[in-house]
Amino acid sequence: MGYAWTVTQKERLSELGAEVADEDFASAAERDKAFFQQEKELKKAGRQRLEAYRQEIRRPGLCQLREKLASALVAKGFVEVATPTIISRQMLAKMTIDDEHELFSQVFWLDKNKCLRPMLAPNLYYVSKDLLRLWKEPMRIFEIGSCFRKESQGSTHLNEFTMLNLVEWGVPMEERTAHLAEFAKLVMETAGLPDYELEQEDSVVYGDTMDVTYHGIEVASSAMGPHPLDGAWGITTTWAGIGFGLERLLMLREGGRNVKSYGRSITYLDGTRLNL
Ligand code: ATP
Ligand code: MG
């Protein structure tokens, strides 16, 4: 056995955007030389990306994607809502997320009764209950905003991520699946990922759901109603809804290896590490 990358070297190369393969060097000196050479090239590439960002791109992919998706949805008759990121314990309880629930331990609590929302659904339910009294069905609404979950990290999970949640209320029962497929197509094509797949899944909140995946990575989960959760909100109509993670969409579109560089960050700007 020769000399492998040190943990620090591996981390540094990967945060700079390299795909770090296990390598075997004849000596520590040779390894370190290879490391500095690679780091130098990656830093140079990073500086060039940041220069292009300053000159031409100027806005994070996350902000641009958000706007593109919002425009595409509005063009299809969806209406945007903007609700608070701080929600009450009761709102979560109405989603049956109580201390018995798998998601409960992932919730960031601010005090006894307030938390950072782990999902958009409770607020969408709340707003929809009123709007359904005022507007005729079918009614299409969506929100794009931050959600928070304590996660054991990994390359596809952030503690703070951006969810797009859309729902159509009053969709004819037999058309729910077709509409979900149509919404998935709209979002995935707008995000520049036309090569997605639809898969049957089992969700801890909604039971049976359909997921959207891209090269095996989940990018969205959908659900349909009437649903047992609806009663808590006084909702009786049919619905079809789907929630996407924007950072995952971006990472996959950009061919990145970690969502971290595409989320809200003080160490990355639009996918590029800043300590170059
Ligand atoms: P996973 O099983 O991958 O942890 P999930 O099924 O718990 O995800 P959902 O509750 O279905 O996630 O949320 C809808 C979408 O939001 C996911 O498909 C994913 O794209 C995104 N998402 C969920 N949790 C995170 C996270 N911690 N970081 C980034 N994106 C996330
Ligand atoms: Mg899911």
Side-chain angles (χ1 to χ4, degrees):
M1 259 315 274
Y3 292 78
W5 295 122
T6 68
V7 174
T8 323
Q9 287 174 337
K10 254 186 156 165
E11 268 174 20
R12 178 62 175 156
L13 295 177
S14 87
E15 76 184 21
L16 290 172
E19 185 169 12
V20 196
D22 283 326
E23 285 194 54
D24 197 13
F25 298 96
S27 68
E30 196 176 293
R31 174 195 63 200
D32 294 349
K33 194 173 153 214
F35 168 76
F36 286 119
Q37 183 57 36
Q38 274 204 36
E39 191 197 28
K40 194 172 147 201
E41 284 161 19
L42 290 165
K43 281 164 79 172
K44 186 171 168 215
R47 274 193 220 98
Q48 283 169 350
R49 278 200 305 276
L50 286 176
E51 192 53 32
Y53 182 80
R54 186 182 185 194
Q55 298 303 331
E56 301 147 36
I57 303 169
R58 295 192 183 173
R59 299 194 61 209
L62 186 61
C63 302
Q64 295 196 35
L65 178 58
R66 194 190 167 113
E67 275 189 20
K68 257 181 114 174
L69 290 171
S71 300
L73 289 169
V74 165
K76 292 286 179 200
F78 280 89
V79 168
E80 186 171 10
V81 297
T83 71
T85 42
I86 297 175
I87 65 171
S88 68
R89 176 180 285 267
Q90 295 94 288
M91 292 285 271
L92 269 197
K94 279 189 169 188
M95 297 296 295
T96 66
I97 300 174
D98 52 22
D99 45 15
E100 311 265 284
H101 199 282
E102 196 177 308
L103 243 180
F104 194 80
S105 61
Q106 291 187 268
V107 175
F108 286 100
W109 289 99
L110 301 174
D111 64 27
K112 233 173 71 229
N113 286 310
K114 292 202 157 38
C115 67
L116 296 173
R117 63 183 177 192
M119 51 171 60
L120 303 178
N123 288 356
L124 289 180
Y125 260 127
Y126 194 101
V127 170
S128 297
K129 148 190 76 64
D130 285 332
L131 290 176
L132 281 167
R133 278 202 301 268
L134 302 165
W135 292 346
K136 269 213 285 292
E137 295 172 23
M139 178 179 100
R140 295 177 165 188
I141 70 167
F142 74 99
E143 175 160 11
I144 301 174
S146 290
C147 290
F148 305 82
R149 293 181 191 179
K150 291 182 189 168
E151 302 275 6
S152 40
Q153 303 306 320
S155 62
T156 54
H157 290 94
L158 293 159
N159 282 328
E160 175 174 0
F161 64 99
T162 314
M163 185 101 85
L164 155 63
N165 204 155
L166 62 86
V167 56
E168 178 174 35
W169 301 101
V171 53
M173 199 70 174
E174 63 287 357
E175 287 174 29
R176 293 175 305 174
T177 310
H179 282 217
L180 281 176
E182 188 193 306
F183 302 150
K185 184 171 193 281
L186 175 71
V187 170
M188 294 307 283
E189 285 181 352
T190 305
L193 298 166
D195 197 14
Y196 63 92
E197 281 174 278
L198 302 177
E199 279 174 22
Q200 219 44 50
E201 263 301 311
D202 199 19
S203 151
V204 292
V205 180
Y206 297 106
D208 255 355
T209 63
M210 181 192 75
D211 275 7
V212 183
T213 62
Y214 188 87
H215 295 175
I217 295 177
E218 174 189 328
V219 293
S221 284
S222 69
M224 290 183 210
H227 190 277
L229 288 176
D230 300 351
W233 312 87
I235 282 172
T236 52
T237 189
T238 53
W239 59 271
I242 183 162
F244 292 84
L246 266 56
E247 291 83 2
R248 287 194 194 173
L249 294 177
L250 265 182
M251 172 185 78
L252 292 166
R253 191 188 70 197
E254 298 303 316
R257 275 172 287 276
N258 199 314
V259 273
K260 203 168 148 197
S261 48
Y262 300 97
R264 291 176 173 269
S265 180
I266 51 172
T267 49
Y268 288 92
L269 180 56
D270 199 34
T272 304
R273 184 82 187 179
L274 291 175
N275 66 342
L276 297 172

